[in-house]
Amino acid sequence: MFGAMGCILLAAILGKFWLALLAVMFAMPAAWLFNLQCRKCSWPVYRAFGSAKQKYQRDQLLAPLNSKILWNLPAACTKCGTDFSGTDPVESF
């Protein structure tokens, strides 16, 4: 996301509208995908619950930011255990 924001800023400075549009078209789906949350507990789907450092685990804001990111969609929520399999991913989030 920082790369896309930097590309948009660079495109604005250089006056290249198409470069900014390309960066936005890449960044928006990526932001949507990595911000998916569990429908029951609102924990980020691609972050492993309890994997943050001990000093951040109890902090509601910092724990998701410091948790390890999973690269594959897990079968269930790592926080509440809600099953993700067998449902339409768009409807389940």
Side-chain angles (χ1 to χ4, degrees):
M1 290 306 296
F2 291 120
M5 290 187 304
C7 186
I8 293 168
L9 179 65
L10 180 65
I13 292 170
L14 297 176
K16 303 290 184 182
F17 172 75
W18 297 110
L19 182 61
L21 185 63
L22 183 66
V24 168
M25 291 181 74
F26 169 75
M28 291 303 289
W32 175 79
L33 178 67
F34 288 112
N35 287 321
L36 288 177
Q37 296 178 345
C38 175
R39 66 182 176 271
K40 288 190 178 177
C41 67
S42 298
W43 183 260
V45 170
Y46 287 99
R47 309 260 176 153
F49 179 73
S51 63
K53 294 179 182 176
Q54 189 69 24
K55 64 180 180 178
Y56 298 123
Q57 282 189 2
R58 294 188 185 266
D59 191 317
Q60 192 173 6
L61 173 68
L62 296 177
L65 297 175
N66 289 290
S67 296
K68 292 180 182 175
I69 296 175
L70 305 173
W71 292 108
N72 295 323
L73 179 66
C77 178
T78 57
K79 184 176 182 181
C80 70
T82 301
D83 187 25
F84 296 146
S85 63
T87 59
D88 183 15
V90 175
E91 291 179 8
S92 63
F93 298 107

